[in-house]
Amino acid sequence: MPSRAPASPSVQVFGLEDSPSTRAALRFFKERRVPIHFVDLRRRPIAPAELRRFAERLGAPAVADSAGRAWHDAGLGYLRMDDAEIVERLLADVRLLRLPLVRLGNDVAVGRDEVAWKRLIAAASSPAPESGSATTR
């Protein structure tokens, strides 16, 4: 029986099925044969700890779609909020998120960003850093 290569890690994509950016992310990873775990945020909301992971690594404003219609309709463009307040708003309304949210291992990316997605794949396929060394986003 031939030995199997270690399974490549699965990329987690959080988004909406009808979102063009989410579909672009799914297509991007499928074309590169990266295993995908898709989470439709309409069916299953993102866990608070998972959203906080994105906010801690990238900053809450980067995770929020402040240019989107839902953000302006809610009147949030006029408010000054700290990261915790932004995260609470994002948890309350999925339409405020900048989609897709992509996670591969401990690395994360937000929005339609093929350069970041390529970086995620490259970091996952490279040898693991030695213990104690820092990893980049």
Side-chain angles (χ1 to χ4, degrees):
M1 186 160 108
S3 64
R4 288 186 167 183
S8 59
S10 174
V11 64
Q12 240 183 340
V13 178
F14 298 89
L16 302 173
E17 280 183 328
D18 60 349
S19 162
S21 350
T22 301
R23 286 196 312 257
L26 294 172
R27 184 174 50 253
F28 177 88
F29 291 110
K30 280 181 188 173
E31 288 172 354
R32 285 152 184 84
R33 297 188 176 152
V34 176
I36 301 167
H37 177 75
F38 175 62
V39 178
D40 186 0
L41 296 175
R42 281 204 181 97
R43 293 185 184 146
R44 188 169 139 217
I46 191 166
E50 190 72 47
L51 183 59
R52 285 189 189 94
R53 177 189 318 220
F54 281 91
E56 287 170 1
R57 290 204 170 84
L58 302 174
V63 180
D65 185 11
S66 57
R69 182 179 185 139
W71 188 270
H72 292 289
D73 288 349
L76 300 176
Y78 304 103
L79 298 177
R80 289 193 180 173
M81 297 179 280
D82 63 10
D83 283 2
E85 291 170 325
I86 293 173
V87 168
E88 290 305 314
R89 298 277 182 154
L90 297 175
L91 286 170
D93 188 356
V94 70
R95 297 174 305 141
L96 301 175
L97 287 168
R98 187 169 161 224
L99 298 176
L101 303 174
V102 179
R103 182 171 71 84
L104 182 58
N106 289 326
D107 295 325
V108 297
V110 174
R112 188 173 185 162
D113 188 356
E114 289 191 18
V115 173
W117 300 340
K118 287 178 184 176
R119 189 185 71 241
L120 292 176
I121 294 171
S125 63
S126 67
E130 292 182 21
S131 170
S133 63
T135 58
T136 59
R137 301 189 248 182

